[in-house]
């Protein structure tokens, strides 16, 4: 089955700086890679996703890049703000027909004022 | 649009009892629903996938006789934790994917916090 590795587990950056979170996946059949933001006790919130036919996608301060050959994808957040503090999860669908997601272990992003 | 609800939001039960959790898609028809479990400070783990009108597909290591899933309609899936024990205490989250939607995207419910005493 699919295996998703995520790094780092904790990331502390100064407000206004950029943050980068990296994930690798194992199943070459995976074709959908979402990123979620989760606040304590809440549901995961989709912040951006990318499909395997695209190498990069951007939405305002958030961007995701995908390297299919190396099987890794990254989340980039620019001009970080205090409200960006949360746990971020990457995921991959493992190419399964039903698209159940395999999640990375999560990154606790801390924005220092 | 694309709202998923869960009920109850939290439940406390005694060891050995069964607990039913409901997952509803409020404004779309959910052809596929997924059940995840999240232990404190850990990631989400897929438990099972259910398609309306058919048996659920369980992930390796998830006991199908303990976690009963029913997806009887296009708007409702239920997860029943049978003979619950303290180690089943967790945050259970469902998600749903609908007919006619972006093929991959799934919408998450708010989760149900289960505590087994």
């Amino acid at each position: 089955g699919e295996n998703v590795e995520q790094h780092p587990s904790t990331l502390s950056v100064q407000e206004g700086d950029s943050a980068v979170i990296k994930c690798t996946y194992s199943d070459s059949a995976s074709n959908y890679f979402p990123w979620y933001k989760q606040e304590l006790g809440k549901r995961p919130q989709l912040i951006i996703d990318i499909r395997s036919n695209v190498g990069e996608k951007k939405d305002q301060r958030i961007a995701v890049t995908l390297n299919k050959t190396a099987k890794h994808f990254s989340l980039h957040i620019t001009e970080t703000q205090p409200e960006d503090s949360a746990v971020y999860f990457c995921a991959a669908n493992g190419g399964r027909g039903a698209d159940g997601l395999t999640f990375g272990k999560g990154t606790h992003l801390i924005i220092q004022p | 649009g694309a709202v998923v609800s869960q009920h109850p939001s939290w439940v406390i039960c005694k060891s050995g009892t069964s607990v039913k959790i409901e997952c509803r898609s409020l404004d779309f028809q959910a052809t596929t629903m997924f059940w995840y479990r999240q232990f404190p400070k850990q990631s989400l783990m897929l438990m099972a996938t259910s398609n309306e009108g058919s048996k659920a597909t369980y992930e390796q290591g998830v006991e199908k006789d303990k976690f009963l899933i029913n997806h009887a309609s296009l708007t409702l899936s239920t997860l029943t934790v049978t003979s619950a024990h303290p180690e089943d205490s967790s945050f259970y989250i469902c998600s749903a994917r609908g007919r006619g939607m972006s093929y991959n995207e799934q919408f998450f419910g708010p989760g149900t916090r289960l505590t087994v005493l």
Side-chain angles (χ1 to χ4, degrees):
Chain A
E2 176 66 282
N3 182 47
V4 177
E5 300 282 344
Q6 181 171 349
H7 299 279
S9 56
T10 303
L11 178 60
S12 181
V13 301
Q14 289 294 127
E15 181 179 351
D17 288 350
S18 296
V20 180
I21 303 171
K22 298 182 179 182
C23 288
T24 61
Y25 63 98
S26 61
D27 191 340
S28 57
S30 283
N31 56 17
Y32 177 61
F33 308 91
W35 285 90
Y36 293 91
K37 176 182 180 183
Q38 188 181 34
E39 297 176 352
L40 193 62
K42 302 283 182 66
R43 77 185 84 194
Q45 176 190 355
L46 178 70
I47 56 171
I48 197 166
D49 58 13
I50 192 167
R51 290 172 175 77
S52 59
N53 59 345
V54 175
E56 185 174 358
K57 184 177 177 180
K58 189 174 181 181
D59 182 5
Q60 299 183 336
R61 297 187 298 110
I62 296 173
V64 56
T65 58
L66 171 65
N67 183 324
K68 285 191 299 182
T69 303
K71 295 198 191 76
H72 65 71
F73 55 115
S74 301
L75 176 71
H76 304 252
I77 305 175
T78 58
E79 301 172 16
T80 53
Q81 300 167 2
E83 53 265 37
D84 294 331
S85 294
V87 179
Y88 291 79
F89 292 98
C90 63
N93 68 339
R96 308 178 226 201
D99 285 329
L101 297 172
T102 300
F103 284 79
K105 292 190 184 303
T107 296
H108 186 192
L109 177 61
I110 301 166
I111 307 301
Q112 303 279 5
Chain B
V3 178
V4 177
S5 70
Q6 277 184 245
H7 178 81
S9 55
W10 60 270
V11 57
I12 301 173
C13 70
K14 292 182 178 180
S15 186
T17 60
S18 295
V19 174
K20 181 185 282 188
I21 301 170
E22 293 184 348
C23 176
R24 292 182 185 274
S25 57
L26 300 185
D27 52 2
F28 67 100
Q29 293 183 324
T31 50
T32 305
M33 285 186 168
F34 306 92
W35 286 95
Y36 296 86
R37 179 167 55 181
Q38 185 176 31
F39 292 111
K41 297 187 178 181
Q42 294 189 25
S43 187
L44 286 81
M45 297 289 291
L46 179 66
M47 299 176 68
T49 301
S50 74
N51 293 295
E52 185 264 339
S54 62
K55 289 184 178 180
T57 302
Y58 290 81
E59 294 299 303
Q60 191 172 7
V62 178
E63 301 173 56
K64 62 179 181 181
D65 294 330
K66 180 170 182 62
F67 298 100
L68 303 178
I69 292 172
N70 185 282
H71 191 166
S73 77
L74 282 171
T75 60
L76 173 65
S77 176
T78 60
L79 167 68
T80 301
V81 183
T82 62
S83 187
H85 292 286
E87 57 266 30
D88 298 322
S89 298
S90 188
F91 193 47
Y92 291 87
I93 309 175
C94 69
S95 70
R97 193 177 67 209
R99 183 175 291 155
M101 292 180 168
S102 169
Y103 180 68
N104 301 116
E105 188 172 6
Q106 50 189 272
F107 300 91
F108 284 86
T112 296
R113 174 83 51 198
L114 170 63
T115 302
V116 185
L117 302 177

